[in-house]
Amino acid sequence: RQAALDDATRTGVARGKIRFLYSYCGLFGDPLLTPELDPYPEGLLQRLADLGVNGVWLHVVLRQLAPPSAAFPEFGAGHEQRIANLRRLVDRAKKHGIDIYLYMNEPRAMEKSFFQGRGHLQGVREGDFYTLCTSAPEVRQWLTDALTYVFKEVPGLGGAFTISASENLTHCYSHNRTAAGCPRCSKRPGPEVIAEVNRAIAAGVRAGNPNAKVIVWDWMWPDATDSKDERAGWTEQIINALPDDVYLMSVSEWSKPIVRGGVAGTVGEYSLSAVGPGPRATKHWALARQRGLKTLAKIQANCSWELSALPYLPVMNLVAQHGANLAQADIDGLMLSWSVGGYPSPNLQVLACFAAEPQPTVDQALTQVAEARYGPEAAPGIRQAWSRFSDAFAEYPFHIRVLYQGPQQYGPANLLYPRPTKYRATMVGFPYDDL
């Protein structure tokens, strides 16, 4: 039984499908400058590889990895040490058949003082920070040159993936639908600017290592369909302007309609309770295929912000159905987690089954994993438990405010107060009065 699972895992890897995730034990900090914060110890890499994972990702800031440049001589402090440690991490992961992917959310915004004598590079303002305007050719050139350096110096890197709308403030349309405040970008279409940033990043990766993969994530790209909305059609325009050799990644469950407790809604992301793919991902993958691009699905395989305090949620029926649906969608790989992490769980084992040819049914995959882990006598009871967990979790009262500000991340550790505290919740922190 275990041999059959191992064969499925090897088959999936051999077919070249990307399956990457984040560390289960990564700490906040700068592991490339402080290697004792190692997010990928040997044991984790080995166990992930045994479950068909062939990639992991790492958060980096590009100006800390690349050397000073003529345009930006203040960048690059500590880059030699970071590059050396990145090279060591890449070599260690390679021994387990795992590639390292860099998370690119660039170029990062800078404080006002940075733009003294560089006013022509200053873009949109947000708080105390301003964008490094990518409509300025020297900013795009720095992006490309910096990534060329990184991928030449660390030739074993698997690739990079981008977020180009939201997360950190980067280009002038990253948090802004009009780029108001930038004399250059406000006169240009948003899709043009977003695609241009991704092209500059892809060009740098390609120049450094032609074999490295570039994954463009459509996270938070405007998906308006109302013709009166100025952002209607943005996603299609962005996809049509991307380079020919990138992957287009979309969150599988995003915008999937749900009804929970009689209340209708839609899923954003971070969901195991909603089985994708939803209409947004399906549409975006179709647009990418029309361009001849490869496609990836981002899912939550282990846990999500629905309940992040557990290593994994044993909702195997939901995981298996999602895996079967995505196998039918014929995508080219999976991102298996965001920063909630990648525990080497039975969930990953279930998903690995669908990499095999011929693909199993949902029932076959669940039985295969249950018998391999618990034996044939216990498997029926295990299957029943997984079904009950899955049925219950499919009723999760999904709403993004519940995910971010509810008490479920802390459970019985949540502090209760007899009177309002006037404290506000932070994302997945103590809920305080926002409960």
Side-chain angles (χ1 to χ4, degrees):
R1 290 183 295 270
Q2 186 61 51
L5 282 179
D6 291 343
D7 286 344
T9 297
R10 282 191 291 270
T11 300
V13 173
R15 290 170 63 204
K17 300 260 185 176
I18 299 171
R19 301 167 66 86
F20 76 119
L21 46 62
Y22 191 64
S23 172
Y24 174 65
C25 53
L27 301 175
F28 284 107
D30 188 347
L32 295 181
L33 202 59
T34 317
E36 55 267 31
L37 296 179
D38 180 15
Y40 294 108
E42 294 292 335
L44 179 60
L45 290 171
Q46 180 179 343
R47 291 185 66 189
L48 290 174
D50 289 343
L51 294 169
V53 173
N54 57 15
V56 294
W57 64 269
L58 194 66
H59 179 276
V60 295
V61 177
L62 188 55
R63 67 172 181 261
Q64 297 175 346
L65 269 184
S69 67
F72 307 118
E74 58 270 72
F75 288 177
H79 78 277
E80 299 99 332
Q81 185 176 348
R82 289 188 180 91
I83 287 290
N85 286 328
L86 179 59
R87 197 179 292 120
R88 280 190 280 270
L89 177 58
V90 165
D91 290 343
R92 280 201 299 111
K94 284 282 188 187
K95 293 176 184 176
H96 300 278
I98 290 177
D99 286 325
I100 302 287
Y101 292 84
L102 302 182
Y103 163 45
M104 285 289 112
N105 190 206
E106 298 286 348
R108 297 297 177 91
M110 304 296 292
E111 292 182 317
K112 176 70 174 177
S113 59
F114 176 83
F115 295 96
Q116 291 180 1
R118 299 180 176 128
H120 64 296
L121 304 183
Q122 181 178 304
V124 167
R125 177 184 179 182
E126 191 172 287
D128 295 329
F129 289 84
Y130 295 81
T131 61
L132 259 173
C133 178
T134 56
S135 287
E138 49 263 69
V139 174
R140 298 196 305 277
Q141 191 63 53
W142 173 78
L143 271 177
T144 298
D145 291 347
L147 280 160
T148 300
Y149 170 86
V150 171
F151 278 79
K152 277 186 176 177
E153 289 294 312
V154 192
L157 279 168
F161 72 94
T162 70
I163 284 182
S164 49
S166 203
E167 283 295 284
N168 298 283
L169 179 66
T170 55
H171 59 82
C172 295
Y173 276 98
S174 57
H175 286 185
N176 194 307
R177 67 172 61 191
T178 63
C182 177
R184 295 161 298 277
C185 293
S186 59
K187 298 174 183 175
R188 301 181 64 197
E192 183 177 283
V193 173
I194 294 171
E196 188 175 63
V197 171
N198 282 287
R199 288 201 306 272
I201 290 172
V205 173
R206 289 281 177 266
N209 179 1
N211 296 318
K213 299 176 177 68
V214 178
I215 301 165
V216 176
W217 193 357
D218 66 4
W219 195 76
M220 290 301 292
W221 286 0
D223 195 43
T225 55
D226 184 352
S227 60
K228 296 180 181 178
D229 190 319
E230 72 271 16
R231 298 177 300 168
W234 273 33
T235 292
E236 183 173 4
Q237 294 172 54
I238 296 167
I239 290 173
N240 286 338
L242 291 176
D244 294 335
D245 54 357
V246 302
Y247 290 73
L248 190 281
M249 182 164 71
S250 197
V251 177
S252 179
E253 68 269 22
W254 198 314
S255 81
K256 184 177 178 64
I258 56 172
V259 178
R260 304 284 166 85
V263 178
T266 56
V267 167
E269 62 171 332
Y270 302 133
S271 180
L272 270 165
S273 67
V275 175
R280 184 182 190 272
T282 302
K283 181 178 76 173
H284 292 188
W285 291 332
L287 291 170
R289 289 191 187 102
Q290 289 173 18
R291 277 284 331 279
L293 304 181
K294 293 184 177 181
T295 54
L296 268 77
K298 184 269 179 187
I299 66 171
Q300 295 292 144
N302 287 307
C303 64
S304 75
W305 291 128
E306 291 163 316
L307 183 55
S308 66
L310 301 179
Y312 67 92
L313 293 165
V315 291
M316 305 311 179
N317 295 40
L318 300 178
V319 173
Q321 189 61 61
H322 205 161
N325 293 352
L326 292 173
Q328 291 298 312
D330 195 28
I331 54 172
D332 299 291
L334 299 173
M335 183 183 193
L336 297 160
S337 82
W338 185 232
S339 54
V340 185
Y343 184 81
S345 69
N347 302 39
L348 297 179
Q349 204 166 20
V350 167
L351 285 170
C353 292
F354 295 98
E357 291 289 357
Q359 290 166 2
T361 65
V362 167
D363 188 67
Q364 288 170 339
L366 290 170
T367 298
Q368 193 175 21
V369 174
E371 290 186 351
R373 295 183 70 87
Y374 300 100
E377 292 184 9
I382 293 296
R383 286 285 315 272
Q384 186 178 37
W386 288 350
S387 294
R388 291 185 177 183
F389 287 141
S390 297
D391 290 345
F393 205 67
E395 296 299 322
Y396 186 95
F398 188 99
H399 189 280
I400 198 67
R401 294 289 294 275
V402 174
L403 266 62
Y404 286 176
Q405 297 179 312
Q408 70 277 9
Q409 317 301 344
Y410 284 82
N414 180 50
L415 301 175
L416 302 176
Y417 300 89
R419 290 176 295 278
T421 65
K422 302 204 170 129
Y423 294 148
R424 294 177 58 192
T426 55
M427 179 178 168
V428 298
F430 289 110
Y432 296 116
D433 303 343
D434 289 319
L435 176 60

